[in-house]
Amino acid sequence: MSLCALLVLAAPGQVAARRDQPSRLSEDGHQLNLTTTSVTGKDGLVSPSERAAFPLDRYEVRDDGAGYFDVAERREFIRDHGTPGMNAQAEQLPLSQSCAAAMNMPVMAHKIQLPGFYPSPERWRQAAQPFFAFEDAVTRLAGWWVVSGDPYPARCLTRMLAKWAKQDGFLSFAFPQSPPQAWFAIESSLFAAGLAYSTVQEVAERDLPDQAEHVEAWLDAVSREHISKSSYGPSCCNNHFYRRALHATIIGVETDDDELFRYGVSALYAALHEANPDGSLPRELMRGRRALHYQNYANIYLTMIAQIVQRQGYDIYDVEVQGRTLNTLANWAVGVIRDPSRIDKYTTDSQNLGFMDDSQYFAWMEVYTDDFPNKGMQKLLNPRRPTYNRSAGGFLTLYFREPDPQNAATTQTMVEVGNAFVSETESCAKDPRWHQQRDIEWRLECERTLREEPTGQHSTGTDIYSKRLSQQTGG
């Protein structure tokens, strides 16, 4: 047995899986079946104090310049082996973000407050625009540097972050607040900044050492301030914890802060301890109609943390808790997306699959499949490439995708819609039965049929159903 496995088995408070779980309700008020949950605490989940007791002293930052991928190696790969889609995205990057706009962006140094998302998504979206602009700016400048090798965007990103550091950006925010939406928003802006800076750190420390030192001290301070807040609600330990852990992990690496780094690693251990035997995450199952979405959403951050930890030389995917590894979690997430009925044993809520239209939620699969080829993930990725997640890693197709040697992974089924050819997923997404009515069963059947129909025998996502729909309705 590996040392990692021994450490996990020795974790304080761990007990074997049991079947006397407490009754729980989803956010939408429906009963949840958690009878197969693996537990460490008396309430069936890992508490913050139990989490803090995980024996993680062996995890230390070994290379503060490792980031989350090898920039020089990837730049060379894109130049020599990039697919047409990757090359097109790379060519647009120098046009996607001006340095002047990034430098003129107002620093959020005041006491930040935001309205809650679910009571009013549109009001939240408007209020959150400055966060989105910040995340896009740092991520695009980093991407420009990665694909071009031009130090100009790297230096610009460093100067931009130095400005935020000088004015104490993100250090003041409303907490507690119900919900603590500013706390949540800063999560993504922090790991966007941390991940972007990791790609330019070598240039920053070489060309702008004073500003680099200021940036790194600021990132460390803001990350520490952010994780110091205690939440007694679900966000103490669910996907929001994984998000905080992501910024702690990458910032811990680039500032050589072992405590922050271990905080990040603890999220992986907590998820493994709490997961059901099939890899589902109990805390995310409590999200009612969004339970399936949040299974996938949580894996975005767990996968990015694992990638950073691997870059430090740790075989984190070998860590096993009661037969579960991070692969178990990732495989269940993709499996339930492809077959949503698998979640029915845990919740009676009808699932909202709106996230399937947004490629940012699938970008993490580029990172995962770089190490673990997965046909199911490839089928989800193909029509959504090139992917972009403005905060959790940026241009992940550019940074991680390797074309299939036989070109199978780059092939999409294209269907004609009017005079344009689009991927099968987009064709289904444009049909009124999905776009207007969100008919989940129809959407899944649409994509399944498009995959099964011989090439050239259908023209739109609607036309292929006329016969089948007629049979179903007796018309």
Side-chain angles (χ1 to χ4, degrees), residues 359-419:
S359 68
Q360 68 169 316
Y361 296 117
F362 297 84
W364 69 274
M365 297 179 187
E366 298 281 19
V367 182
Y368 184 84
T369 56
D370 186 49
D371 287 325
F372 305 100
N374 184 301
K375 290 182 179 179
M377 289 187 183
Q378 290 292 354
K379 289 181 178 179
L380 290 168
L381 280 169
N382 284 342
R384 296 173 171 89
R385 283 170 165 154
T387 61
Y388 173 69
N389 186 309
R390 68 171 172 263
S391 57
F395 303 92
L396 293 179
T397 298
L398 281 177
Y399 300 163
F400 288 92
R401 182 189 184 186
E402 295 195 24
D404 184 272
Q406 299 178 343
N407 207 36
T410 65
T411 301
Q412 296 183 27
T413 301
M414 304 301 289
V415 295
E416 186 179 359
V417 179
N419 293 321

Side-chain angles (χ1 to χ4, degrees), residues 169-171 186 190 217-227:
F170 297 134
L171 275 168
I186 292 172
L190 267 184
W218 168 69
L219 287 172
D220 192 272
V222 179
S223 184
R224 283 179 166 273
E225 173 65 17
H226 194 262
I227 68 173

